[in-house]
Amino acid sequence: MRMTRGPLAVALLLLALGARGGEAPSPARVFVSLLNASGSTPEQRREAWKAMLEGGKQPPRQVAEAVDGARERAWRRLAQAVVSTAARKGGLKLRSAISPHQDKVIAVVQGADFSKAKLDEAMAPIEKALDEAQAPLLANDAYKALVASIQEFEGYAAGCGLRIGWNEQLGETLCTLAFVSRYAGKPGNQLTVDANRRWSDSFDPSEHACIARLNVERILIGLAPMEIDLRLVIAAKKHSEEMVAKGYFAHDSPTPELKSFSQRAGREHTGASGECIAAGSGDGVGVFKMWYYSQGHHKIMISGSSCIGVGRCKETWTLMVGGSKMTGVTATNMAKYVRRRYEGGDDAPKLFLLAKWCAENKLLIQAQDELERVVALDPKNEDAKKALERIRARK
């Protein structure tokens, strides 16, 4: 159905969807129809979404399926837009414009006289070239509408539980990354970028925004993007949580079995070769900038490691590099564990069920970690205490 715009569109839709006996269609059905109608407006969809959620209702399954389809179509259209005439006009000049400056940036980061001013000076021609290359695409009305639709649909995806959350900073950074990967990157870069977008449904969007912004820089200076290892994400997040809970800020944990970052990564069935920590930033790009202007941290971010994880607790952040690609049964279970842990938040009953699931899937360390969280949140939970004793006895 192609719809007219304005208030009349909703009225026509309601008439078209009228059920037998003159009953009005359900709010969910109205929203899905607007989502799939090529002529519907963002305002109409937002109103339908709001009406569907009145009274604290949750989006039904058919809505989640429709939203999932809509967002995937939007991302495919973005990929097509990035190779369109409007994008190629500037994009094809990008690689040759930045290549003479890439080694200079790396030399500044690795050099003995590193400073913010020297880094900014080295990056300036690369950033200028990117701005000029993107300008024709960013000025294109169709492209701007497409980016807005991605922001909108991913927001609905978060509301449907398809992803942990969403924010506009992540959307903007991923769109920039798609352009940079296509015109400044090497063959194969896009495979990593696409894989990372799929993994991002399972963790905090601000954490992913940090990783995406880092990968923009890596590609611009001639390096490959790093792939997200969700096991590193959870290892990083647990370190941030412990630093907040125990009131310290350091790479060395006071907990013996968690003392080093390599120990923390090993507990999550992966490895780590470096770690950054930061405090005082509320968003992913902001914390990236903090590490960007710190030489030691910057060296870690542009190291030869192939995988990365970022985890935060409030405004305390940890970044870990190293890891490996997510393959095998253990990796699959760890990915499920990460998603369920984020969904559980600080809800003790949900975390207790998560601990049970971990034990059933032979993730005993993770089961112990979650049971310890349950006991901390609910000290009177005798079932959790007994289960924790059993887990410790089995290890």
mmCIF file of all heavy atoms in Angstrom, residues 281-300:
data_model
loop_
_atom_site.group_PDB
_atom_site.id
_atom_site.type_symbol
_atom_site.label_atom_id
_atom_site.label_comp_id
_atom_site.label_asym_id
_atom_site.label_seq_id
_atom_site.Cartn_x
_atom_site.Cartn_y
_atom_site.Cartn_z
ATOM 1 N N SER A 281 33.924 9.736 31.922
ATOM 2 C CA SER A 281 33.225 9.985 30.660
ATOM 3 C C SER A 281 31.921 9.207 30.632
ATOM 4 O O SER A 281 31.866 8.060 31.066
ATOM 5 C CB SER A 281 34.088 9.567 29.463
ATOM 6 O OG SER A 281 33.390 9.786 28.252
ATOM 7 N N GLY A 282 30.890 9.833 30.093
ATOM 8 C CA GLY A 282 29.590 9.172 30.027
ATOM 9 C C GLY A 282 29.250 8.589 28.678
ATOM 10 O O GLY A 282 28.213 7.954 28.529
ATOM 11 N N ASP A 283 30.100 8.811 27.671
ATOM 12 C CA ASP A 283 29.771 8.270 26.349
ATOM 13 C C ASP A 283 30.999 7.650 25.690
ATOM 14 O O ASP A 283 32.140 7.944 26.055
ATOM 15 C CB ASP A 283 29.165 9.352 25.442
ATOM 16 C CG ASP A 283 30.168 10.432 25.066
ATOM 17 O OD1 ASP A 283 30.994 10.196 24.174
ATOM 18 O OD2 ASP A 283 30.127 11.519 25.676
ATOM 19 N N GLY A 284 30.735 6.793 24.709
ATOM 20 C CA GLY A 284 31.793 6.000 24.107
ATOM 21 C C GLY A 284 32.811 6.800 23.325
ATOM 22 O O GLY A 284 34.019 6.536 23.409
ATOM 23 N N VAL A 285 32.366 7.761 22.533
ATOM 24 C CA VAL A 285 33.310 8.568 21.760
ATOM 25 C C VAL A 285 34.122 9.453 22.689
ATOM 26 O O VAL A 285 35.309 9.692 22.463
ATOM 27 C CB VAL A 285 32.561 9.399 20.700
ATOM 28 C CG1 VAL A 285 33.512 10.368 19.997
ATOM 29 C CG2 VAL A 285 31.911 8.475 19.662
ATOM 30 N N GLY A 286 33.498 9.906 23.773
ATOM 31 C CA GLY A 286 34.213 10.720 24.746
ATOM 32 C C GLY A 286 35.355 9.967 25.396
ATOM 33 O O GLY A 286 36.463 10.493 25.542
ATOM 34 N N VAL A 287 35.118 8.723 25.790
ATOM 35 C CA VAL A 287 36.200 7.954 26.425
ATOM 36 C C VAL A 287 37.257 7.580 25.403
ATOM 37 O O VAL A 287 38.457 7.521 25.727
ATOM 38 C CB VAL A 287 35.644 6.707 27.150
ATOM 39 C CG1 VAL A 287 35.299 5.589 26.181
ATOM 40 C CG2 VAL A 287 36.650 6.202 28.178
ATOM 41 N N PHE A 288 36.866 7.350 24.144
ATOM 42 C CA PHE A 288 37.865 7.114 23.092
ATOM 43 C C PHE A 288 38.813 8.301 23.003
ATOM 44 O O PHE A 288 40.034 8.136 22.897
ATOM 45 C CB PHE A 288 37.194 6.887 21.740
ATOM 46 C CG PHE A 288 38.131 7.047 20.577
ATOM 47 C CD1 PHE A 288 39.022 6.041 20.249
ATOM 48 C CD2 PHE A 288 38.154 8.225 19.838
ATOM 49 C CE1 PHE A 288 39.924 6.194 19.199
ATOM 50 C CE2 PHE A 288 39.049 8.395 18.786
ATOM 51 C CZ PHE A 288 39.937 7.374 18.468
ATOM 52 N N LYS A 289 38.269 9.518 23.034
ATOM 53 C CA LYS A 289 39.104 10.713 22.936
ATOM 54 C C LYS A 289 40.068 10.818 24.119
ATOM 55 O O LYS A 289 41.206 11.285 23.977
ATOM 56 C CB LYS A 289 38.224 11.962 22.858
ATOM 57 C CG LYS A 289 37.664 12.236 21.472
ATOM 58 C CD LYS A 289 38.774 12.589 20.497
ATOM 59 C CE LYS A 289 38.221 12.989 19.146
ATOM 60 N NZ LYS A 289 39.328 13.314 18.183
ATOM 61 N N MET A 290 39.619 10.399 25.302
ATOM 62 C CA MET A 290 40.515 10.411 26.463
ATOM 63 C C MET A 290 41.718 9.509 26.211
ATOM 64 O O MET A 290 42.869 9.885 26.483
ATOM 65 C CB MET A 290 39.750 9.962 27.709
ATOM 66 C CG MET A 290 38.677 10.934 28.162
ATOM 67 S SD MET A 290 37.624 10.273 29.482
ATOM 68 C CE MET A 290 38.798 10.166 30.836
ATOM 69 N N TRP A 291 41.480 8.308 25.709
ATOM 70 C CA TRP A 291 42.580 7.381 25.422
ATOM 71 C C TRP A 291 43.394 7.839 24.207
ATOM 72 O O TRP A 291 44.606 7.645 24.150
ATOM 73 C CB TRP A 291 42.020 5.984 25.187
ATOM 74 C CG TRP A 291 41.528 5.315 26.431
ATOM 75 C CD1 TRP A 291 42.085 5.388 27.676
ATOM 76 C CD2 TRP A 291 40.397 4.449 26.557
ATOM 77 N NE1 TRP A 291 41.372 4.621 28.568
ATOM 78 C CE2 TRP A 291 40.326 4.031 27.910
ATOM 79 C CE3 TRP A 291 39.428 3.982 25.676
ATOM 80 C CZ2 TRP A 291 39.337 3.173 28.383
ATOM 81 C CZ3 TRP A 291 38.433 3.130 26.142
ATOM 82 C CH2 TRP A 291 38.386 2.731 27.489
ATOM 83 N N TYR A 292 42.733 8.455 23.250
ATOM 84 C CA TYR A 292 43.366 8.920 22.012
ATOM 85 C C TYR A 292 44.502 9.895 22.308
ATOM 86 O O TYR A 292 45.560 9.850 21.675
ATOM 87 C CB TYR A 292 42.283 9.570 21.156
ATOM 88 C CG TYR A 292 42.723 10.192 19.858
ATOM 89 C CD1 TYR A 292 42.863 9.422 18.705
ATOM 90 C CD2 TYR A 292 42.955 11.567 19.758
ATOM 91 C CE1 TYR A 292 43.228 9.997 17.501
ATOM 92 C CE2 TYR A 292 43.314 12.149 18.566
ATOM 93 C CZ TYR A 292 43.454 11.363 17.442
ATOM 94 O OH TYR A 292 43.815 11.942 16.247
ATOM 95 N N TYR A 293 44.300 10.769 23.278
ATOM 96 C CA TYR A 293 45.305 11.780 23.596
ATOM 97 C C TYR A 293 46.275 11.343 24.692
ATOM 98 O O TYR A 293 47.057 12.146 25.194
ATOM 99 C CB TYR A 293 44.628 13.089 23.992
ATOM 100 C CG TYR A 293 44.063 13.842 22.806
ATOM 101 C CD1 TYR A 293 42.702 14.117 22.715
ATOM 102 C CD2 TYR A 293 44.893 14.276 21.779
ATOM 103 C CE1 TYR A 293 42.181 14.805 21.627
ATOM 104 C CE2 TYR A 293 44.388 14.965 20.686
ATOM 105 C CZ TYR A 293 43.029 15.225 20.615
ATOM 106 O OH TYR A 293 42.522 15.913 19.532
ATOM 107 N N SER A 294 46.241 10.089 25.065
ATOM 108 C CA SER A 294 47.193 9.522 26.020
ATOM 109 C C SER A 294 48.071 8.521 25.274
ATOM 110 O O SER A 294 47.577 7.527 24.738
ATOM 111 C CB SER A 294 46.437 8.814 27.152
ATOM 112 O OG SER A 294 47.316 8.058 27.958
ATOM 113 N N GLN A 295 49.358 8.786 25.195
ATOM 114 C CA GLN A 295 50.228 7.990 24.327
ATOM 115 C C GLN A 295 50.193 6.499 24.633
ATOM 116 O O GLN A 295 50.067 5.670 23.728
ATOM 117 C CB GLN A 295 51.673 8.495 24.408
ATOM 118 C CG GLN A 295 52.596 7.782 23.415
ATOM 119 C CD GLN A 295 54.012 8.312 23.449
ATOM 120 O OE1 GLN A 295 54.455 8.867 24.463
ATOM 121 N NE2 GLN A 295 54.729 8.169 22.351
ATOM 122 N N GLY A 296 50.312 6.135 25.917
ATOM 123 C CA GLY A 296 50.321 4.717 26.257
ATOM 124 C C GLY A 296 49.042 4.016 25.862
ATOM 125 O O GLY A 296 49.065 2.897 25.320
ATOM 126 N N HIS A 297 47.917 4.672 26.107
ATOM 127 C CA HIS A 297 46.635 4.093 25.731
ATOM 128 C C HIS A 297 46.479 4.033 24.206
ATOM 129 O O HIS A 297 45.950 3.063 23.662
ATOM 130 C CB HIS A 297 45.491 4.905 26.340
ATOM 131 C CG HIS A 297 45.468 4.881 27.834
ATOM 132 N ND1 HIS A 297 45.775 5.969 28.602
ATOM 133 C CD2 HIS A 297 45.199 3.873 28.705
ATOM 134 C CE1 HIS A 297 45.683 5.660 29.893
ATOM 135 N NE2 HIS A 297 45.334 4.383 29.975
ATOM 136 N N HIS A 298 46.940 5.092 23.540
ATOM 137 C CA HIS A 298 46.819 5.127 22.079
ATOM 138 C C HIS A 298 47.618 3.998 21.440
ATOM 139 O O HIS A 298 47.182 3.371 20.466
ATOM 140 C CB HIS A 298 47.298 6.480 21.557
ATOM 141 C CG HIS A 298 46.722 6.856 20.229
ATOM 142 N ND1 HIS A 298 46.424 8.142 19.872
ATOM 143 C CD2 HIS A 298 46.370 6.107 19.156
ATOM 144 C CE1 HIS A 298 45.928 8.179 18.651
ATOM 145 N NE2 HIS A 298 45.890 6.943 18.195
ATOM 146 N N LYS A 299 48.794 3.722 21.977
ATOM 147 C CA LYS A 299 49.598 2.617 21.447
ATOM 148 C C LYS A 299 48.848 1.295 21.529
ATOM 149 O O LYS A 299 48.916 0.467 20.610
ATOM 150 C CB LYS A 299 50.912 2.510 22.227
ATOM 151 C CG LYS A 299 51.929 3.581 21.899
ATOM 152 C CD LYS A 299 53.203 3.336 22.710
ATOM 153 C CE LYS A 299 54.277 4.353 22.385
ATOM 154 N NZ LYS A 299 55.520 4.121 23.169
ATOM 155 N N ILE A 300 48.152 1.088 22.630
ATOM 156 C CA ILE A 300 47.379 -0.151 22.785
ATOM 157 C C ILE A 300 46.260 -0.207 21.751
ATOM 158 O O ILE A 300 46.006 -1.255 21.133
ATOM 159 C CB ILE A 300 46.807 -0.246 24.217
ATOM 160 C CG1 ILE A 300 47.945 -0.475 25.217
ATOM 161 C CG2 ILE A 300 45.769 -1.369 24.318
ATOM 162 C CD1 ILE A 300 47.517 -0.383 26.665
#
